[in-house]
Amino acid sequence: MDVFVKNLPPAITQKQIEKFFRPHLAKLSIHTFSCRALKGKGSATSSAVITIPDARKARTFLEVHGQAGQGRENWGKVKHKLYYMKKPIYCSESNQIPDRFLLQALEKDEAKKLNAESRPSRPASRKIKRIFGITTLNCGQWDYVGEDLVFVTHFQEQRTGVMIFGGQSVIINLQPTGHVGPAQRVEMPYFDIQSFTIGSSADPTATFALRAPPKLFEELEAEDSLVESMRALGVGRKPVGFKRMRIMALRKSHEIIVSSCLCYRFVLQVPSDISLLLALKRAQEIPESRLWNTSNILKKDFPAQLTRLNTALGRSYPHPVSFEVNFQLQRLAQNGFLPPARVVGFLKSVIRNFGNVDDATLVASIRKLSHVVPYAGPETEASEYCVETLTDLLAEYQKSAALEDSYSHLAENYEHIALIHKAIVTPVGIILSGPEPEIINRVIRKYQEFSNYFLQVSFLDENMESIKYHRENSNEAIYHQRFKKVLESGINIAGRGYEFLGFSHSSLRSQACWFMAPFTLNGELLHAKLVISRLGDFSKIRSPAKCAARIGQAFSQTFSSIRLPAEAIQSLPDIKVNGRVFSDGVGTCSKSVMKMIWKEYAQSKDLKPTVFQIRFKGAKGMISLDSTLQGDALCLRPSMIKFEGTGEDIEICGAGLKPLPMYLNRPLIKILEDLGVKETVILDLQATAVEKLRMTTTSPVNAANFLQRNYIGRAARLPWLIRKLKDLDILFNDDDFLRNAVELVILVQLRELKYKSRILVEEGLTLYGIMDETGFLQEGQVYLPVRTEDGHVTLEGKVVVTRSPALHPGDVQVADAVDVPENSPLRDLYNCLVFSSKGQRDLPSQLSGGDLDGDLYNIIYMDGLFPKERSEPAEYPIVQPIDIGREVTRSDMTDFFIRFMENDQLGRIAVNHQTLADQRDAGTFDQDCIRLAELHSTAVDFSKTGIPADLSNLPRFSTSRPDFQAPGPRVLVEEKINLQDDESDDSDDSEEIEGTSLPRIKYYESGKVLGKLYRAIDEHRIFERIQQYSRAPQNILRAKQSPLDLVLKYVQDVTALIEWDHYSTWAMEIKEAYEENLVVTMIEYSPNHLHYISEVEVFCGSIVGKEGAPSKRLRETSGSMKDKHERDVAFTVACITQGEHDDRAHRAEVLERSIACLAAACLTGRVRRKVGRLVSFGWIAAAICLREVEKFQGII
């Protein structure tokens, strides 16, 4: 039931309403309820709605505190009158129908509370104070004067305010100075707090050392016209105002230090509050504090330090310092590892002591040094932080850097890879990283010897994710001042100025672009504008978005390029029917051209693709083999040619090497449900997937097969190793690292099932789409030739065809898969989906607006997943790109880049569609869902048209969400992998503090198939059973020696006469080299640049997200990390198997070297600062060693 409340103060907030009513409701045994404040424009009072799930209890409340009508006339009859700030509160039954989804969510919360109450309760703790008055804010760094730790203040604000320890962050609200100017706010998430130090009553301070800069805000006045006029991004029909604006710094003098000075010290208003600060240790979510009394030194020379550093980096020296080395030195200061003044001193030491060391070695050494530099603070001695110690560490790393760094070897050995420097622009600073190996594009390929003049730049929040929309916070200043200024003015690094160059379509989606610095080639100065002009003619394009997309073709990553003679280029007409282009984006090539591509794009000796995704001059799209063409021929269609480009090389973006697996996802599952597919079929598919995960740890063979299917530990031969250990009666379960590795991969897949419904369809595949060039296929027919290592097959019969993202029910269609005549040229194709060129409308355009320029299509041939109903495909009007009526400038394109970051609402629309489809009886057929599907299509095309989706008229729906959208527990990867739930609830003290968080979302149990899939997986129970089985006594040998020691003992017994001791020192160097590379990966692929991910995450190639399934960005980072670590392992394996010189003599002693490496790993390794003891090298060495033992025994 809804209770309507009137006569509340106009400025009252939802939290204040909840806090006021909670004790009154609790007296009537009402503990679960929801409040919604109703704001009336121009009204002297406010209203609210209180939703109580139990109607009987709600009526009891009204009998005590309510009245018959909604006016004042029945006020005298109220039994127990309620007053707020001495004014009467009128409560009555609402005349509106309660939100049924909110009622369901509240009933779910009530059941959860009752269940919690039935369990043994924790001892009640005393209430702790969470709000403290402050008088001063200091921003600076920990440093040392002699041996003494001091806090060096570079920015100070003597302003009163309050420091609030909320549920997830420390929040500081600063009052205006002398009642002039806006109030300001500082947010420091607990996750980013490195250390929390408390002073004494004589020095009443609280000091926080952070891993990342805090979020800064200014409070906005209600009448602020700038914000009030902004278009609403939230659900609703009218523009909404924001409460505060995200800013870059508290003041101008704060701006220059905010990104590098990551320590904040606050002076308490009441000195005796020190003891109450110490009591916060009882709150589990608040970082542990420690007492440490230090003096404060006020300095304001940080800008001067930066100037001295920049001057030093740009100066000429007797031994010239390269840009690559200077980049690493600037990174030390800019990323907050060391103060600029200390970097200046360190630079002098580098010049003095390492002037003759080659650049690659010195760069690798400084990078590794940055990963072990201790954080200045109470836990670090002054001697660990001085220039002399840093120089000694650099010398130590320099000795092994040449051996361990596989980056430079990778760039040297592969033409399609270059080492690229990177910068991440955040709201307050610029973080430098790299260089890292990247697949090159047309521009980098053309100027590959100048690759360090190109810079990959991302625009992200301090947590390395995209800046998120928040209904109370405006990001206007971040986008249009901070980010725009960088795009317009460029970035200066080590005396080199980089300016905006361009971006690809995929990099635009990930909010990244390319910058370049001018350089001289053949006596000519090349700069960004000149480089772009030589890619082709873009002068006729009048749309900034379209122009950027066309230039962006040159920034697509390409694996190889093949030079063709001009006479090989031929033209084909497009196939058009009813104004639709059936051949949109697809051409052909002859057998001889295909052979040229195979030679350059040699990914497999046996599998030679017959379809490729290409870039050529101004053309883009797919080409397929046409065996009827003679000689060298590349046939392009007008629909492929986007602009008049330059160059003679075909560049390869992708190929149909093999059929990709097909996975269901939530949008597709919802459509299939609405098209009549039985939910039991989908539930059974998921149950099968879960059962396979359960069975993984039941035997080493299952575990090995599981790792092999998921391409885990390929370079280390991990699947083979686990099978071999079984043959030796050594179980992988007995080793903590191997067991954690298998369990982590299982958990990642289990979470993908639960939180994304990513369910493998065995009778399904994913392929590139092309067109039938022969005209054999009729309307509604497709040709599906598939070739794998197991052979060749042509699918026939009814198949479901779709394409992601699918939101409209018509995005799923059924086609007839047919075979073609024996003499058909189509017989030469495989691993592609061939569409018909006939009919009223081409099938690709019916599937989420697809075409044939490189789109991947999903095919299902499982009977149970065939729709019982059919929906007409969507028919959206074509949106014409914005035409500015003149030639597009660089400023136009950077403006579009900003607008895209600010207005890219694809994810928001998709989530709203998912919610609405769950709440409406018609599901995805509901007209509001159809409208959202159209908005999603507009949002997809935003990158090409420049026209964002208009969200001002989003459909209204319940603010409660289906349970399958709820976040999951956080994963803690420690000695044992654990799932940690958020145990707080709405009544927590931390959540009662005004302004510390948004109201919690209420989740109801969805009755649709997605809800049933979600609840069918009890993440805790399943994972605990998997862990219990893998750790059960009968599955663990519990030998006195570790599994790795047992392997070494076995090897030594078998090879007792083999001498290997002469390789012991070399083996320790190889181990050290591998582990140093591993540490680099653990830090540089971490979501937070000052926080490490675990060794097991790196080894398995999966960075575990904070909650639920990882974000898209985290998945992409995991993929890059996995590739990098696989390369490092392969490099380490090559060092062991080939030796230093890769000659016959060294290859002959592989067994000796591998035994030495295994023995080195079994020694007690050093405990590394910040990461502890690393162990994976031992298992890499064990796999090589056991393989060589088999050769020694004549087994292989």
Side-chain angles (χ1 to χ4, degrees):
M1 177 187 289
D2 280 353
V3 175
F4 185 64
V5 182
K6 289 186 66 177
N7 208 40
L8 294 166
I12 196 169
T13 65
Q14 183 166 312
K15 284 286 183 185
Q16 289 169 338
I17 297 170
E18 288 178 1
K19 191 172 182 179
F20 173 77
F21 276 101
R22 182 172 290 126
H24 299 292
L25 292 167
K27 288 178 183 178
L28 302 171
S29 299
I30 301 172
H31 302 288
T32 304
F33 63 95
S34 174
C35 281
R36 180 165 53 95
L38 305 175
K39 300 293 182 183
K41 277 201 170 182
S43 174
T45 62
S46 287
S47 305
V49 173
I50 301 176
T51 303
I52 301 171
D54 190 324
R56 180 182 56 81
K57 290 182 179 180
R59 291 191 181 91
T60 302
F61 172 81
L62 288 174
E63 288 172 6
V64 177
H65 300 293
Q67 56 199 68
Q70 293 187 1
R72 303 182 183 182
E73 57 275 8
N74 297 311
W75 172 248
K77 299 178 182 179
V78 176
K79 291 181 181 179
H80 294 284
K81 299 178 176 63
L82 298 176
Y83 294 87
Y84 189 89
M85 297 177 65
K86 298 183 180 180
K87 289 187 177 182
I89 303 299
Y90 308 130
C91 301
S92 60
E93 184 175 350
S94 172
N95 55 17
Q96 300 295 316
I97 299 173
D99 179 344
R100 66 186 175 101
F101 297 104
L102 176 56
L103 288 175
Q104 290 177 26
L106 291 172
E107 289 166 0
K108 180 172 175 284
D109 287 350
E110 181 74 11
K112 184 179 177 181
K113 284 185 178 181
L114 291 172
N115 185 45
E117 289 171 3
S118 66
R119 297 197 299 264
S121 59
R122 292 176 295 182
S125 59
R126 287 180 297 154
K127 204 164 188 177
I128 54 178
K129 181 175 180 178
R130 289 176 174 267
I131 304 178
F132 302 86
I134 62 169
T135 61
T136 307
L137 175 150
N138 297 299
C139 176
Q141 296 175 317
W142 286 117
D143 209 336
Y144 301 89
V145 175
E147 298 296 317
D148 296 328
L149 177 69
V150 296
F151 186 90
V152 180
T153 295
H154 292 292
F155 170 81
Q156 187 176 79
E157 278 282 89
Q158 292 185 337
R159 293 164 65 182
T160 59
V162 292
M163 178 168 57
I164 304 168
F165 288 83
Q168 298 176 329
S169 306
V170 179
I171 296 175
I172 293 86
N173 290 327
L174 298 171
Q175 297 303 314
T177 305
H179 304 289
V180 177
Q184 293 178 318
R185 177 185 178 112
V186 180
E187 286 189 8
M188 301 183 294
Y190 293 139
F191 178 77
D192 286 336
I193 295 176
Q194 178 71 28
S195 66
F196 174 21
T197 308
I198 298 173
S200 64
S201 56
D203 177 32
T205 59
T207 306
F208 301 91
L210 307 179
R211 295 188 179 98
K215 292 183 179 180
L216 307 172
F217 302 89
E218 274 187 0
E219 299 297 326
L220 295 169
E221 298 294 333
E223 63 270 15
D224 192 313
S225 59
L226 172 64
V227 177
E228 284 296 316
S229 62
M230 288 185 66
R231 177 174 51 82
L233 295 179
V235 175
R237 300 181 181 275
K238 297 180 180 178
V240 295
F242 293 99
K243 290 184 177 181
R244 59 190 68 90
M245 175 177 283
R246 186 90 178 265
I247 57 175
M248 291 74 75
L250 298 175
R251 292 194 186 282
K252 191 70 177 175
S253 56
H254 188 221
E255 189 172 336
I256 198 167
I257 72 164
V258 63
S259 64
S260 300
C261 294
L262 301 180
C263 293
Y264 285 78
R265 169 170 284 192
F266 304 96
V267 179
L268 299 183
Q269 202 168 45
V270 180
S272 60
D273 277 350
I274 284 291
S275 60
L276 299 176
L277 268 181
L278 289 169
L280 287 171
K281 68 177 69 172
R282 299 203 302 268
Q284 187 177 1
E285 73 277 9
I286 297 175
E288 188 175 346
S289 61
R290 63 181 300 172
L291 277 171
W292 198 275
N293 202 20
T294 57
S295 59
N296 183 66
I297 298 177
L298 180 61
K299 288 186 178 181
K300 295 197 175 178
D301 67 340
F302 198 86
Q305 288 187 37
L306 287 175
T307 300
R308 286 197 297 273
L309 175 60
N310 291 333
T311 301
L313 292 175
R315 188 178 298 159
S316 297
Y317 296 95
H319 292 288
V321 182
S322 69
F323 168 79
E324 289 85 354
V325 172
N326 279 336
F327 181 95
Q328 299 303 324
L329 292 168
Q330 181 167 331
R331 175 174 168 267
L332 288 175
Q334 193 155 315
N335 291 14
F337 293 112
L338 294 171
R342 190 165 272 102
V343 177
V344 172
F346 184 55
L347 168 61
K348 294 175 183 177
S349 178
V350 168
I351 294 169
R352 186 168 55 251
N353 297 291
F354 302 94
N356 295 321
V357 177
D358 68 276
D359 286 344
T361 300
L362 194 52
V363 166
S365 304
I366 298 174
R367 287 182 75 178
K368 287 168 176 57
L369 174 70
S370 70
H371 303 142
V372 298
V373 170
Y375 301 114
E379 296 180 355
T380 302
E381 296 293 332
S383 60
E384 300 178 76
Y385 209 59
C386 65
V387 170
E388 292 76 12
T389 301
L390 298 175
T391 303
D392 290 342
L393 283 171
L394 187 63
E396 180 184 332
Y397 293 132
Q398 178 257 322
K399 293 176 183 177
S400 58
L403 175 65
E404 68 197 40
D405 186 41
S406 63
Y407 282 124
S408 56
H409 296 281
L410 190 70
E412 291 167 4
N413 295 337
Y414 297 93
E415 291 183 355
H416 68 286
I417 288 177
L419 295 178
I420 301 297
H421 292 85
K422 298 183 178 184
I424 301 169
V425 181
T426 73
V428 302
I430 298 176
I431 298 168
L432 303 181
S433 69
E436 294 175 13
E438 293 284 338
I439 297 171
I440 62 176
N441 52 51
R442 183 182 304 178
V443 175
I444 305 297
R445 180 177 282 110
K446 189 173 182 180
Y447 306 109
Q448 195 155 358
E449 60 183 302
F450 297 93
S451 61
N452 65 16
Y453 284 84
F454 295 88
L455 184 71
Q456 198 175 84
V457 182
S458 301
F459 293 80
L460 303 172
D461 210 337
E462 310 301 342
N463 63 358
M464 301 298 106
E465 291 284 348
S466 303
I467 291 180
K468 304 297 184 187
Y469 165 77
H470 190 297
R471 73 187 192 200
E472 293 184 350
N473 302 332
S474 166
N475 294 314
E476 178 90 0
I478 301 303
Y479 288 122
H480 295 280
Q481 294 178 37
R482 168 67 180 154
F483 287 173
K484 180 62 175 175
K485 182 181 178 181
V486 173
L487 286 164
E488 289 291 337
S489 304
I491 299 173
N492 289 305
I493 303 174
R496 186 180 286 180
Y498 289 84
E499 59 182 339
F500 173 80
L501 183 63
F503 48 83
S504 67
H505 182 262
S506 61
S507 70
L508 175 64
R509 291 281 180 204
S510 60
Q511 301 186 181
C513 58
W514 286 93
F515 279 42
M516 73 164 284
F519 58 88
T520 301
L521 177 62
N522 298 327
E524 181 182 30
L525 181 66
L526 292 178
H527 50 79
K529 188 173 182 179
L530 189 57
V531 167
I532 294 299
S533 69
R534 292 184 176 175
L535 294 175
D537 182 11
F538 306 99
S539 61
K540 298 174 185 176
I541 304 174
R542 296 292 184 261
S543 165
K546 192 172 182 179
C547 184
R550 298 301 170 241
I551 293 173
Q553 289 177 213
F555 294 102
S556 297
Q557 291 185 335
T558 51
F559 295 92
S560 56
S561 63
I562 299 93
R563 178 65 56 92
L564 282 182
E567 57 271 18
I569 312 305
Q570 301 178 18
S571 179
L572 276 178
D574 272 311
I575 308 297
K576 298 182 179 180
V577 180
N578 298 329
R580 297 187 177 277
V581 182
F582 280 52
S583 56
D584 190 5
V586 64
T588 61
C589 71
S590 63
K591 187 73 174 281
S592 62
V593 169
M594 190 67 69
K595 286 181 177 179
M596 292 184 205
I597 297 175
W598 287 341
K599 184 178 179 181
E600 292 296 322
Y601 193 76
Q603 302 257 329
S604 170
K605 294 180 180 179
D606 300 321
L607 296 175
K608 299 185 183 300
T610 56
V611 293
F612 287 91
Q613 186 182 19
I614 67 160
R615 299 288 185 268
F616 178 73
K617 293 187 177 182
K620 65 187 286 274
M622 295 293 298
I623 57 170
S624 62
L625 172 62
D626 182 351
S627 55
T628 64
L629 293 172
Q630 301 300 311
D632 295 340
L634 173 66
C635 302
L636 305 177
R637 289 190 162 94
S639 62
M640 301 176 70
I641 301 171
K642 307 301 182 181
F643 65 93
E644 295 179 16
T646 59
E648 302 297 331
D649 292 350
I650 305 176
E651 296 172 294
I652 308 301
C653 301
L657 282 166
K658 59 183 179 180
L660 300 174
M662 193 273 155
Y663 292 90
L664 298 179
N665 54 49
R666 284 180 171 173
L668 178 56
I669 288 170
K670 188 70 191 82
I671 291 174
L672 291 175
E673 178 186 36
D674 295 337
L675 292 175
V677 172
K678 292 181 179 179
E679 64 179 33
T680 54
V681 175
I682 303 171
L683 285 164
D684 288 346
L685 276 175
Q686 178 178 274
T688 300
V690 171
E691 184 59 27
K692 285 182 178 179
L693 292 178
R694 275 202 192 101
M695 296 298 292
T696 298
T697 58
T698 59
S699 76
V701 173
N702 287 351
N705 291 339
F706 172 74
L707 294 173
Q708 191 165 332
R709 285 196 306 272
N710 290 281
Y711 303 103
I712 303 298
R714 285 178 293 177
R717 300 182 65 88
L718 185 59
W720 178 88
L721 174 66
I722 288 177
R723 294 188 186 99
K724 182 63 180 178
L725 291 177
K726 176 181 178 295
D727 294 341
L728 300 176
D729 291 327
I730 302 172
L731 297 180
F732 78 92
N733 312 60
D734 206 21
D735 181 77
D736 290 340
F737 179 79
L738 293 181
R739 185 174 61 243
N740 280 342
V742 175
E743 288 177 359
L744 181 71
V745 181
I746 292 172
L747 181 60
V748 168
Q749 294 205 3
L750 186 65
R751 289 164 78 83
E752 286 185 342
L753 284 170
K754 183 172 179 68
Y755 298 104
K756 288 191 173 294
S757 299
R758 189 171 184 267
I759 305 171
L760 177 67
V761 180
E762 298 280 0
E763 296 174 85
L765 37 83
T766 301
L767 298 168
Y768 283 112
I770 61 169
M771 189 192 70
D772 172 20
E773 301 286 346
T774 69
F776 173 80
L777 298 176
Q778 302 303 305
E779 182 177 9
Q781 292 183 336
V782 295
Y783 176 55
L784 272 166
V786 178
R787 179 182 292 181
T788 65
E789 295 173 352
D790 297 327
H792 185 285
V793 64
T794 299
L795 297 179
E796 295 185 69
K798 295 286 185 183
V799 293
V800 177
V801 187
T802 185
R803 172 181 167 271
S804 291
L807 272 74
H808 190 284
D811 291 339
V812 176
Q813 296 292 328
V814 176
D816 290 313
V818 300
D819 202 351
V820 297
E822 287 289 340
N823 60 350
S824 172
L826 297 181
R827 286 274 181 169
D828 296 317
L829 300 174
Y830 44 83
N831 295 339
C832 58
L833 171 59
V834 185
F835 290 100
S836 171
S837 61
K838 299 179 180 179
Q840 297 300 305
R841 179 178 176 181
D842 59 305
L843 184 54
S845 73
Q846 300 177 44
L847 310 172
S848 306
D851 54 34
L852 301 176
D853 70 352
D855 287 354
L856 289 166
Y857 293 86
N858 304 122
I859 302 99
I860 301 172
Y861 49 95
M862 176 182 171
D863 291 342
L865 291 178
F866 276 75
K868 301 297 185 290
E869 303 173 24
R870 180 185 180 276
S871 170
E872 288 298 318
E875 186 77 59
Y876 303 133
I878 297 175
V879 179
Q880 294 298 327
I882 291 175
D883 188 337
I884 61 175
R886 58 172 172 78
E887 189 172 342
V888 176
T889 66
R890 183 176 72 176
S891 183
D892 293 325
M893 286 188 283
T894 57
D895 279 340
F896 167 67
F897 189 82
I898 292 292
R899 286 201 313 275
F900 186 87
M901 285 194 289
E902 189 176 24
N903 296 296
D904 182 20
Q905 296 294 317
L906 261 179
R908 183 176 175 81
I909 295 170
V911 170
N912 284 355
H913 179 275
Q914 190 180 87
T915 304
L916 201 61
D918 188 78
Q919 294 178 357
R920 299 292 174 86
D921 293 336
T924 53
F925 282 92
D926 185 272
Q927 285 306 303
D928 282 337
C929 286
I930 298 296
R931 166 66 180 145
L932 282 171
E934 183 176 357
L935 280 175
H936 193 271
S937 176
T938 302
V940 168
D941 292 337
F942 178 24
S943 59
K944 303 172 187 174
T945 64
I947 300 174
D950 181 7
L951 304 188
S952 60
N953 290 311
L954 279 174
R956 289 183 180 275
F957 53 91
S958 172
T959 56
S960 298
R961 298 291 185 88
D963 55 353
F964 57 79
Q965 291 180 356
R970 185 175 176 181
V971 178
L972 299 178
V973 183
E974 298 169 335
E975 290 184 6
K976 177 183 176 183
I977 299 171
N978 296 300
L979 298 173
Q980 185 181 65
D981 280 312
D982 178 8
E983 296 182 356
S984 59
D985 57 48
D986 291 339
S987 63
D988 281 355
D989 292 338
S990 59
E991 295 301 326
E992 290 181 10
I993 298 171
E994 176 61 29
T996 63
S997 65
L998 284 173
R1000 291 195 172 209
I1001 296 172
K1002 302 288 186 183
Y1003 295 97
Y1004 62 87
E1005 284 195 1
S1006 167
K1008 306 288 179 67
V1009 67
L1010 289 176
K1012 294 176 181 178
L1013 288 167
Y1014 173 80
R1015 292 189 297 277
I1017 295 178
D1018 185 330
E1019 189 177 7
H1020 283 280
R1021 184 173 58 84
I1022 293 172
F1023 192 61
E1024 281 173 6
R1025 287 187 178 179
I1026 288 171
Q1027 287 190 320
Q1028 286 170 3
Y1029 188 89
S1030 66
R1031 297 162 192 264
Q1034 65 270 23
N1035 295 319
I1036 297 179
L1037 295 177
R1038 299 192 183 280
K1040 293 180 180 179
Q1041 290 180 293
S1042 73
L1044 199 63
D1045 288 331
L1046 291 173
V1047 172
L1048 178 61
K1049 183 178 183 303
Y1050 163 77
V1051 170
Q1052 289 176 330
D1053 289 344
V1054 173
T1055 61
L1057 299 178
I1058 300 292
E1059 292 289 337
W1060 53 266
D1061 287 350
H1062 56 293
Y1063 279 113
S1064 294
T1065 301
W1066 177 88
M1068 290 300 295
E1069 292 174 353
I1070 288 289
K1071 177 177 180 290
E1072 182 72 12
Y1074 165 79
E1075 290 183 351
E1076 289 299 335
N1077 264 339
L1078 178 59
V1079 172
V1080 169
T1081 307
M1082 291 168 72
I1083 181 63
E1084 296 201 346
Y1085 286 88
S1086 170
N1088 185 306
H1089 74 286
L1090 293 178
H1091 186 70
Y1092 286 70
I1093 54 178
S1094 68
E1095 180 182 16
V1096 72
E1097 287 174 276
V1098 173
F1099 195 78
C1100 296
S1102 295
I1103 304 171
V1104 181
K1106 290 184 182 179
E1107 50 187 37
S1111 66
K1112 180 183 178 183
R1113 185 177 301 279
L1114 205 57
R1115 291 197 304 273
E1116 291 172 351
T1117 303
S1118 292
S1120 299
M1121 178 191 73
K1122 183 177 181 179
D1123 291 342
K1124 192 263 181 186
H1125 185 64
E1126 285 287 297
R1127 290 193 297 264
D1128 288 345
V1129 172
F1131 178 77
T1132 301
V1133 171
C1135 286
I1136 299 173
T1137 56
Q1138 298 170 10
E1140 295 181 70
H1141 307 291
D1142 191 22
D1143 54 29
R1144 180 172 296 180
H1146 281 82
R1147 285 196 295 270
E1149 293 197 329
V1150 180
L1151 178 58
E1152 289 86 339
R1153 287 193 297 273
S1154 64
I1155 298 173
C1157 288
L1158 179 58
C1162 289
L1163 298 174
T1164 302
R1166 68 185 177 100
V1167 178
R1168 295 172 181 270
R1169 182 186 292 273
K1170 302 178 186 177
V1171 299
R1173 183 169 178 260
L1174 302 174
V1175 298
S1176 56
F1177 176 80
W1179 291 113
I1180 296 171
I1184 301 170
C1185 194
L1186 290 173
R1187 189 81 173 172
E1188 293 303 314
V1189 167
E1190 286 192 348
K1191 293 178 183 177
F1192 176 74
Q1193 294 175 317
I1195 298 175
I1196 58 174

